[in-house]
Amino acid sequence: MRKMKSLHMMGAASLSMALVLAGCSSTKTAETSPAAVSPAATQAAAATKAPEPAKSGEKITVNFWNPFSGNDGPFMKKIVDNYNKSQDKYMVKMTIQPNGDYYKLLDTAIATKKGVPDVAIMHLDQTPTYIAKDQLQPLDAIAKAVGVEKSNFPPATVEYSTKDNNWYSIPLDIHPLVMYYNKDLFKAAGITKVPTNRQEFVDAAVKLTDASKGIWGAAMPTFWIQNFLFPTVLFQNGGDFLDDKGNIAYNSPAGVEAVTFMRSLTTMKVSPPTVAADGDFNLFQQGKSAMHFNGPWSKDAFDKAKINYGVAPVPQLGTVKQAVFGGSHNFVIPKATTDAAILAGVGDFLKYVNANSIDWAESGQAVASKVVRDSAAFQAMTQQQTEVAKEFEYVKFAPKVLNWGPISDSIWSELANALQGKKDPKAALDDAAAKSTAAMKK
């Protein structure tokens, strides 16, 4: 999935949009059967076309939307296909909407009340806004009826989408930031231990850098993936996006220290002085960078590039504690889904996924279901998935506020200015914070 190219990387891209694209990227549309894919040319029609009711004697159709238009699409298709073969009562019809337009199409369907999916994938940080707009229905009764327990999922995901004791989303996965490293370059530099803290990371980066060969210890991203990396170091420094009163707080000493440290890698000459959009990804893929931060979705691209890589939790680059920023794909049921037979089908499908999401793990993701993570099949996935799952214990998500995407927009352009040396870290974060504060008041 090529690292989701077009979010991409513009420093001004919102964190919310980053998560929309995370794990669902690239413009390639997965081919599905019986699942349907909505081509870009017919997006509007796909969003407004009402599903046809099932005829007598036919399976009950459950319309399922997701934004997996990248390399992850076929893995979800496999789950849907296997579910449809596993029973004779329901037929899940999967529609993959283009990731960049996913929420626009979903909003259009909900607003027009035409073609609203019966069940859909939603990024966790989107749920507060849709819950506030009363567009999702609680899942407690449906989950209980099919035996899907909250205890089967990491508490952080359940708590995030719970409001007034109602649970609104069932997690499919958690996709935190991880560190990829080039095993061949590590071996050549005589490094046998993967860094776990800042000093080890810096020491390794120095040893791994070979200017004569154009090899960098760690290319520090300027644009995309800073949407995951800056929050990670901020959290590790004991900081947060908001303070206890809900005010913007990422321009705190913890935030300034995080940016100052990341910028220092360029002055130490273990990272290129400037990194263009996607440049860090390309350098790692070409074997020219030894350590690289990205999400679990990068696995497929690095496999195809035949890089001899390893995966590890992000080192504690901050000064206070271990933490990592992540996103999560979740199943939600629009409030417009009211047909009892269809709701029963949705519940049956969610029950199946709860126990059979190992095919999703094949995409490189660490699934949220503990039942699946505890299985022998998942535990055998030692290259990446089990490493990703280690971060579940301390993963943190975007603030649980409405419209966080627009509020956070200003962070990424100002952060790019600081990382490129165009602006003092404190000044850059203060300017971003002023814009975020103004956005919160709109």
Side-chain angles (χ1 to χ4, degrees):
M1 100 178 166
R2 205 212 170 301
K3 185 216 126 309
M4 350 189 182
K5 208 147 168 170
S6 39
L7 122 75
H8 299 207
M9 0 260 60
M10 38 205 175
S14 72
L15 178 60
S16 177
M17 180 56 68
L19 295 181
V20 169
L21 296 172
C24 335
S25 77
S26 121
T27 55
K28 179 180 177 182
T29 305
E31 295 178 0
T32 59
S33 177
V37 176
S38 156
T42 59
Q43 291 174 14
T48 58
K49 182 179 180 182
E52 297 179 1
K55 296 178 181 178
S56 178
E58 292 184 353
K59 289 186 177 182
I60 296 170
T61 298
V62 174
N63 288 284
F64 167 42
W65 278 22
N66 66 64
F68 301 137
S69 56
N71 294 325
D72 40 12
F75 295 96
M76 180 52 67
K77 175 188 179 298
K78 186 176 180 181
I79 292 175
V80 170
D81 286 348
N82 287 340
Y83 169 72
N84 287 334
K85 294 174 184 176
S86 73
Q87 44 73 49
D88 298 319
K89 190 171 183 179
Y90 306 105
M91 172 65 69
V92 172
K93 180 182 178 183
M94 184 174 87
T95 299
I96 299 177
Q97 300 288 12
N99 63 74
D101 294 319
Y102 185 69
Y103 290 102
K104 182 189 300 181
L105 294 173
L106 183 60
D107 289 344
T108 298
I110 291 174
T112 61
K113 299 181 181 180
K114 295 180 180 179
V116 184
D118 302 313
V119 60
I121 288 292
M122 181 169 287
H123 294 82
L124 188 62
D125 69 324
Q126 294 281 343
T127 58
T129 299
Y130 282 80
I131 292 170
K133 292 192 292 186
D134 197 27
Q135 294 175 337
L136 302 180
Q137 58 181 287
L139 303 180
D140 303 81
I142 292 174
K144 183 178 180 180
V146 297
V148 174
E149 302 288 343
K150 294 180 182 179
S151 59
N152 190 45
F153 308 102
T157 59
V158 174
E159 293 167 4
Y160 195 99
S161 65
T162 296
K163 182 179 180 181
D164 299 330
N165 294 319
N166 291 316
W167 185 30
Y168 286 90
S169 72
I170 294 178
L172 169 64
D173 62 40
I174 295 178
H175 39 268
L177 187 73
V178 294
M179 187 178 80
Y180 290 91
Y181 61 96
N182 187 306
K183 291 183 176 181
D184 293 336
L185 295 179
F186 265 57
K187 183 177 181 180
I191 300 174
T192 58
K193 182 177 180 293
V194 180
T196 60
N197 58 49
R198 178 181 291 191
Q199 192 58 55
E200 291 176 356
F201 178 80
V202 171
D203 290 345
V206 171
K207 290 181 181 179
L208 290 160
T209 300
D210 188 338
S212 66
K213 296 180 180 179
I215 295 175
W216 300 96
M220 180 53 54
T222 302
F223 300 104
W224 161 250
I225 219 51
Q226 276 298 345
N227 306 61
F228 278 66
L229 184 55
F230 169 66
T232 294
V233 186
L234 171 68
F235 298 154
Q236 291 179 351
N237 276 346
D240 212 328
F241 281 113
L242 307 177
D243 62 20
D244 293 340
K245 296 181 180 179
N247 299 314
I248 295 296
Y250 58 75
N251 58 330
S252 64
V256 174
E257 200 283 335
V259 180
T260 301
F261 164 68
M262 291 189 290
R263 174 63 184 167
S264 73
L265 296 177
T266 63
T267 58
M268 285 188 281
K269 298 184 179 180
V270 298
S271 173
T274 58
V275 178
D278 245 0
D280 54 312
F281 179 89
N282 294 333
L283 285 169
F284 187 80
Q285 194 174 39
Q286 296 162 6
K288 295 296 184 179
S289 176
M291 294 182 286
H292 173 66
F293 298 107
N294 220 308
W297 52 81
S298 297
K299 180 180 185 296
D300 185 72
F302 296 151
D303 286 344
K304 290 178 179 176
K306 301 188 183 303
I307 299 293
N308 182 22
Y309 69 90
V311 183
V314 176
Q316 186 182 314
L317 302 176
T319 60
V320 176
K321 62 182 180 180
Q322 183 57 293
V324 68
F325 181 81
S328 173
H329 292 115
N330 287 241
F331 290 96
V332 297
I333 303 178
K335 200 165 186 179
T337 305
T338 57
D339 185 287
I342 291 177
L343 284 170
V346 171
D348 194 64
F349 175 56
L350 295 180
K351 176 183 178 180
Y352 179 87
V353 176
N354 184 59
N356 297 278
S357 54
I358 192 67
D359 289 319
W360 188 245
E362 291 287 352
S363 71
Q365 298 279 7
V367 294
S369 171
K370 188 175 185 298
V371 169
V372 177
R373 281 186 283 117
D374 287 346
S375 69
F378 184 84
Q379 291 300 317
M381 296 177 170
T382 56
Q383 182 190 19
Q384 170 161 316
Q385 292 87 337
T386 50
E387 293 297 315
V388 175
K390 290 177 181 178
E391 298 184 311
F392 282 15
E393 294 181 7
Y394 47 83
V395 66
K396 293 190 65 174
F397 304 107
K400 192 176 176 181
V401 297
L402 306 187
N403 302 312
W404 175 246
I407 294 170
S408 64
D409 271 351
S410 60
I411 300 175
W412 318 119
S413 57
E414 291 292 352
L415 182 59
N417 288 333
L419 294 173
Q420 291 173 327
K422 297 178 179 179
K423 212 167 190 177
D424 174 76
K426 173 63 172 171
L429 290 182
D430 282 346
D431 288 347
K435 296 173 185 176
S436 290
T437 299
M440 290 185 76
K441 296 177 180 179
K442 292 182 178 180

